[in-house]
Amino acid sequence: MSRSGWALSDAPPQTGRVVVVTGANSGIGRATAFGLATLGARVILACRNEKTAAEAADEIAVAVPGADLDVVQLDLSDLSSVRRAAAEICAQYPSLDLLVNNAGVMSGRRELTADGFEVDFGTNFLGHFVWTHDLLQRISVGGRVITVGSHAHRTGVIDFDDLTMGQRFTSPAAYARSKLAQMLFAFELDRRLSAASVPVVSLAAHPGGTRTGVMREQNRFLQWAYFAPSLRWLTDRFIMDPPEGMLSILRAATDPKAAGGQYYGPTGRLGLAGPPVLVTPSARALDRDVAARLWTVAEELTGVHYGLAGGH
């Protein structure tokens, strides 16, 4: 379903820019990689599954003749993989212009990562926390870090006394908490970069209601609601396909008017569909005290220290 408003054609050329997109083998990440390649950027697809990442790169190359693409294996649920992949990129690329932290999981049951973290929190938040730290040294003047959030962050709660969710776990709560953590990180990172006069900005964006792999992992009702062809006449009013859903991320990444600390998402009813605009995050995502505490906890859990003073 076509929707008027900001589109790929409105984005400025990205020729000569080097960008990294996590989870670029499918869904929003793949669509974002395609969009950036179309605009002329060199795109590094950082993905857990090298086979599907290579297939995605091949398909983008066919659709975008002359596309400059690279694939790096990255498992955000394993910090040793995160550090290895970041080191590989730093060794090969002296400068990066854009980091799109898109990859994410929504586990249907309580699991722990290789490092002992609850899997949604450990993958979506802590994995990207370390990943961003290790690549920050390569991000050029005027570069951007884009965190792909979700409407789900609005219901998230950070229980610092039960970060492994050993006392109480539900799949929606774990996912919402991880997305809230990502949002808190995105805005706290921007405050700290600004306070330290680092010429890089951090923004967030969300794809609204989009048909992605995360939704395919949900209960049968949600799978049916999102993907049933017989319901497209209805669901297209508030659910988008990845090429439309990625536009919020692309606008945050490329719009010359976008600024640090901003949040982009679809306009339209409930913010689920429509062209990307500047939107307002929840009060929870803007809680500076929680963000500062979460930052400290993340450094303690991962052993990674940014060296950036608090952004209060």
Side-chain angles (χ1 to χ4, degrees), residues 215-228:
M215 296 314 302
R216 290 189 184 278
E217 297 169 3
Q218 303 315 302
N219 62 59
R220 290 184 179 180
F221 174 78
L222 284 177
Q223 291 180 36
W224 173 72
Y226 265 70
F227 297 103

Side-chain angles (χ1 to χ4, degrees), residues 69-80:
L69 305 163
D70 193 5
V71 172
V72 171
Q73 199 279 330
L74 165 70
D75 183 351
L76 286 158
S77 70
D78 184 343
L79 295 187
S80 65

Side-chain angles (χ1 to χ4, degrees), residues 2-301:
S2 61
R3 297 176 173 90
S4 61
W6 197 95
L8 177 61
S9 58
D10 295 303
Q14 300 295 299
T15 305
R17 293 170 65 81
V18 180
V19 306
V20 185
V21 183
T22 66
N25 56 315
S26 64
I28 293 296
R30 184 171 180 165
T32 300
F34 172 84
L36 289 166
T38 300
L39 294 171
R42 180 169 194 175
V43 184
I44 304 167
L45 292 78
C47 310
R48 181 174 56 183
N49 189 319
E50 283 187 284
K51 181 177 182 295
T52 57
E55 291 171 352
D58 288 344
E59 291 187 11
I60 293 171
V62 169
V64 185
D68 195 350
L69 305 163
D70 193 5
V71 172
V72 171
Q73 199 279 330
L74 165 70
D75 183 351
L76 286 158
S77 70
D78 184 343
L79 295 187
S80 65
S81 172
V82 173
R83 309 218 73 169
R84 178 203 53 74
E88 181 180 337
I89 290 175
C90 288
Q92 186 172 353
Y93 296 93
S95 178
L96 303 171
D97 299 287
L98 177 64
L99 179 58
V100 180
N101 291 336
N102 160 80
V105 298
M106 183 176 182
S107 179
R109 63 182 186 276
R110 181 177 178 271
E111 298 179 82
L112 300 181
T113 69
D115 303 283
F117 311 130
E118 186 278 317
V119 71
D120 286 22
F121 188 77
T123 302
N124 302 348
F125 168 53
L126 291 175
H128 278 123
F129 183 86
V130 174
W131 173 249
T132 302
H133 167 271
D134 284 10
L135 293 179
L136 192 59
Q137 61 181 305
R138 286 288 189 267
I139 301 180
S140 62
V141 172
R144 299 182 186 184
V145 177
I146 308 299
T147 293
V148 178
S150 167
H151 253 343
H153 90 270
R154 296 178 180 276
T155 61
V157 176
I158 309 292
D159 182 353
F160 289 99
D161 295 323
D162 186 25
L163 290 178
T164 61
M165 300 192 86
Q167 299 173 30
R168 182 178 301 175
F169 174 89
T170 67
S171 180
Y175 183 72
R177 182 186 68 161
S178 73
K179 301 311 285 188
L180 174 58
Q182 284 189 281
M183 294 285 287
L184 288 162
F185 166 66
F187 300 137
E188 180 69 6
L189 175 62
D190 188 70
R191 289 189 289 266
R192 290 179 182 239
L193 290 170
S194 178
S197 298
V198 177
V200 174
V201 296
S202 172
L203 302 83
H206 79 91
T210 301
R211 299 177 179 93
T212 66
V214 167
M215 296 314 302
R216 290 189 184 278
E217 297 169 3
Q218 303 315 302
N219 62 59
R220 290 184 179 180
F221 174 78
L222 284 177
Q223 291 180 36
W224 173 72
Y226 265 70
F227 297 103
S230 62
L231 292 179
R232 296 284 299 220
W233 65 273
L234 173 63
T235 58
D236 274 355
R237 299 169 185 267
F238 54 88
I239 300 175
M240 299 182 289
D241 290 316
E244 294 177 299
M246 71 87 180
L247 290 176
S248 297
I249 291 88
L250 197 70
R251 184 166 192 177
T254 65
D255 192 330
K257 296 180 180 179
Q262 291 183 335
Y263 184 41
Y264 285 83
T267 187
R269 185 172 297 178
L270 301 177
L272 294 177
V277 295
L278 193 61
V279 295
T280 302
S282 70
R284 295 181 184 189
L286 298 175
D287 190 320
R288 296 191 177 199
D289 291 332
V290 173
R293 183 179 179 186
L294 180 65
W295 187 284
T296 298
V297 168
E299 291 192 327
E300 292 172 349
L301 290 174

